[in-house]
Amino acid sequence: MIKVEHLYKKFGSNEVLTDISTEIKKGEVVSIIGPSGSGKSTFLRCLNMLEIPTSGKVFINGQDLTGPKKDIQKIRQQIGMVFQHFHLFPHLTVLENLTYAPMKVKGETKSLAEEKARALLLRVGLSEKEKAYPSSLSGGQKQRVAIARALAMEPELMLFDEPTSALDPEMVKEVLDVMKDLAKSGMTMAVVTHEMGFAREVADRVLFLDHGVLVEEGEPREFFASPKTERARDFLEKVL
Amino acid sequence: MNLDFSQMVPYIPFILEGIWVTLKFVIVAIILGSILGTILALFKIGSIKPLRWFADAYTSIFRGTPLILQLMIIYYSIPQLTGYDISPFLSAILAFGLNSSAYISEIIRAGIQAVDKGQMEAAQALGIPYRAMMKDIILPQALKNILPALMNEFITLTKESAIVSTIGYLDLMRRAQVVGSDLFRNFEPLLFVGLIYWCLVMGLTVLGRMFERRLKQSD
């Protein structure tokens, strides 16, 4: 589904990603972990071109995103993204947050978009909030709405950029539960996270990044029990 | 105290007519300034370098020189250079519209840039096209930042409009001067138009507050 080949990203002279190659298959849940500043988020953002790679290639379903004249908007419609700080549209109600893009971008009718949006709100447990504005929601509720908003576009792939890092501890679970549910439904997911529990239980594979290098990747049970590299061992000792 | 408003009474209709004369060109100047200002602001945040340079140079010239000078240059240089006898009304609209567009463009630019960058990223990630994103997501939020400063600019423009009295445009200020020299009493007519200017500005202020309250509904 996603194929990354020799991805490099520089900000000025600062190289944040160095020669990353990997692949995410359809239905796979991949956790991207590593110390802060290791380039995890930048890597994720390269997958939908929110950051333009300095060199290297990113393929989604065989289409090269880095190639010339790619219709990036079209491809982004197939990729949902959830941000650390939610980024809900504050001037729209919860329901409008969910229906805006499907109506505007995919040309869905209002009634169809609303019907689907209500089903999604039910799924994330926020049916009673459809008329609320984001400012009246808690962090956990905002993030669940943000997930629903991304799902409203019916993406084939979901990117999560530290979805629980800005939440109060007691709200982390409600968001992780929604994500677990989503993983079970067969969604392809790439999750940058500090939640080692989630990475261990839910992910099919773990990518460990350090200083912009993909140091190690593997099956979670194996990775957490006996990391192969020194750097991964160091990191896990600190966080577990 | 040697104040006598009774002598002014016959002149009151003449002065009151000035309200419309002033408002007429202030409104046109505000509209012109807002349209030009929006375009300049889009130039400034856009990615086309020559347009950005143009907008920056424009702003620096119109903010960097006195408004009264710009007014004089337009009023006196156009007939001299082109032979076209420009009216005080047209000169006033041009000077005030061009001048305030420089300020308005800065207000709008700052307002747009104050919208959280994440909003743009969220819209991009959903595949929303640039125009729709600007119109439906960014600008409505920017409006909240823009409105107070924009009201301020409109108030300034309304008051500074008195400068057009220097090119003989019969606005409120000019009428006060005319009445003053007729009566050999300047204080009363000046006080009277002062009150009118204050009322106009208060009207604008109330209007601005109403708008702000409507925009705050989602907070």
Side-chain angles (χ1 to χ4, degrees):
Chain A
M1 165 138 234
I2 308 180
K3 203 167 164 196
V4 180
E5 285 177 358
H6 305 294
L7 183 70
Y8 285 80
K9 176 68 187 176
K10 282 184 192 154
F11 291 116
S13 61
N14 184 18
E15 191 166 275
V16 265
L17 293 176
T18 308
D19 194 17
I20 295 191
S21 300
T22 189
E23 204 173 336
I24 300 176
K25 293 192 184 64
K26 192 162 176 56
E28 204 176 17
V29 177
V30 173
S31 272
I32 301 150
I33 61 174
S36 53
S38 59
K40 316 181 284 294
S41 288
T42 308
F43 171 68
L44 195 74
R45 291 158 61 86
C46 282
L47 299 183
N48 67 351
M49 297 292 120
L50 280 185
E51 301 290 354
I52 308 298
T54 308
S55 67
K57 287 188 185 329
V58 178
F59 297 94
I60 306 269
N61 284 335
Q63 306 174 82
D64 182 4
L65 301 198
T66 52
K69 283 194 183 167
K70 266 286 162 249
D71 187 355
I72 194 69
Q73 268 161 19
K74 200 92 197 152
I75 295 165
R76 278 178 180 151
Q77 292 166 27
Q78 306 158 22
I79 309 174
M81 181 149 189
V82 175
F83 299 87
Q84 182 179 0
H85 295 287
F86 332 123
H87 301 326
L88 294 177
F89 303 134
H91 60 302
L92 303 179
T93 64
V94 166
L95 193 69
E96 287 165 346
N97 262 281
L98 266 65
T99 55
Y100 176 77
M103 284 163 61
K104 198 81 193 177
V105 180
K106 292 170 91 181
E108 285 181 10
T109 62
K110 193 172 176 192
S111 58
L112 176 67
E114 284 186 348
E115 189 186 318
K116 286 204 251 170
R118 290 203 174 95
L120 283 169
L121 286 177
L122 188 69
R123 188 167 166 192
V124 300
L126 287 168
S127 290
E128 77 283 11
K129 293 288 185 192
E130 66 168 65
K131 289 201 175 63
Y133 282 99
S135 57
S136 69
L137 303 179
S138 73
Q141 291 171 333
K142 280 183 196 167
Q143 196 60 298
R144 284 186 282 154
V145 172
I147 294 172
R149 176 179 68 178
L151 290 175
M153 288 296 285
E154 298 170 329
E156 296 174 38
L157 160 72
M158 287 282 284
L159 307 176
F160 293 83
D161 189 4
E162 303 197 23
T164 58
S165 298
L167 298 178
D168 291 335
E170 72 267 28
M171 291 168 186
V172 170
K173 189 175 173 298
E174 63 186 64
V175 171
L176 288 183
D177 284 347
V178 169
M179 290 168 61
K180 282 179 195 166
D181 183 52
L182 196 59
K184 265 189 225 138
S185 75
M187 177 63 76
T188 313
M189 293 162 67
V191 186
V192 169
T193 186
H194 292 296
E195 292 293 326
M196 294 306 143
F198 178 88
R200 185 154 39 185
E201 289 163 35
V202 184
D204 300 309
R205 200 147 48 89
V206 175
L207 306 186
F208 174 71
L209 262 67
D210 191 19
H211 291 104
V213 179
L214 179 53
V215 179
E216 191 171 336
E217 65 180 303
E219 197 267 332
R221 232 176 326 142
E222 216 174 280
F223 174 80
F224 283 104
S226 51
K228 291 189 212 75
T229 56
E230 180 75 36
R231 277 196 275 178
R233 258 198 299 281
D234 267 5
F235 174 73
L236 288 177
E237 258 167 41
K238 279 182 201 136
V239 295
L240 288 179
Chain B
M1 281 275 272
N2 180 21
L3 264 180
D4 181 7
F5 283 94
S6 61
Q7 289 183 47
M8 241 187 68
V9 172
Y11 294 97
I12 285 179
F14 172 70
I15 292 182
L16 289 181
E17 266 172 52
I19 296 179
W20 175 237
V21 176
T22 287
L23 276 183
K24 196 166 62 178
F25 98 84
V26 165
I27 290 169
V28 179
I30 282 177
I31 293 170
L32 180 70
S34 301
I35 294 171
L36 280 179
T38 310
I39 295 170
L40 287 170
L42 291 175
F43 284 0
K44 284 177 186 174
I45 60 168
S47 51
I48 305 167
K49 273 200 175 133
L51 292 181
R52 220 158 60 197
W53 287 330
F54 169 77
D56 284 341
Y58 181 97
T59 304
S60 119
I61 289 167
F62 278 91
R63 279 206 308 193
T65 56
L67 175 56
I68 191 166
L69 177 85
Q70 294 161 18
L71 180 67
M72 296 281 176
I73 284 180
I74 289 172
Y75 185 58
Y76 292 116
S77 74
I78 287 181
Q80 191 179 331
L81 293 179
T82 65
Y84 172 67
D85 187 13
I86 191 167
S87 68
F89 177 69
L90 196 56
S91 310
I93 289 173
L94 275 179
F96 279 79
L98 294 177
N99 180 275
S100 81
S101 72
Y103 288 90
I104 290 174
S105 72
E106 277 299 285
I107 292 169
I108 294 177
R109 179 195 59 77
I112 289 174
Q113 284 176 344
V115 174
D116 181 10
K117 228 182 123 224
Q119 290 292 312
M120 210 175 273
E121 292 185 347
Q124 284 171 347
L126 287 165
I128 297 167
Y130 184 82
R131 277 183 65 125
M133 170 181 82
M134 274 315 209
K135 182 167 86 56
D136 298 331
I137 306 294
I138 306 298
L139 283 178
Q141 295 182 57
L143 207 58
K144 254 192 237 179
N145 312 327
I146 291 169
L147 204 67
L150 205 58
M151 267 344 263
N152 219 3
E153 169 61 21
F154 292 165
I155 286 170
T156 306
L157 199 146
T158 307
K159 287 183 302 173
E160 299 289 295
S161 73
I163 289 176
V164 295
S165 60
T166 57
I167 58 167
Y169 185 65
L170 261 180
D171 73 326
L172 275 171
M173 183 68 194
R174 181 81 189 142
R175 280 166 201 251
Q177 289 168 340
V178 168
V179 173
S181 52
D182 235 30
L183 287 175
F184 296 107
R185 304 178 74 94
N186 277 305
F187 187 47
E188 291 89 345
L190 287 175
L191 212 58
F192 185 64
V193 296
L195 185 72
I196 295 176
Y197 277 116
W198 182 79
C199 289
L200 291 178
V201 168
M202 284 318 287
L204 268 176
T205 310
V206 171
L207 218 70
R209 292 243 173 88
M210 269 163 47
F211 264 124
E212 267 179 66
R213 224 172 297 141
R214 278 190 59 180
L215 286 178
K216 283 223 172 90
Q217 270 171 353
S218 62
D219 287 350

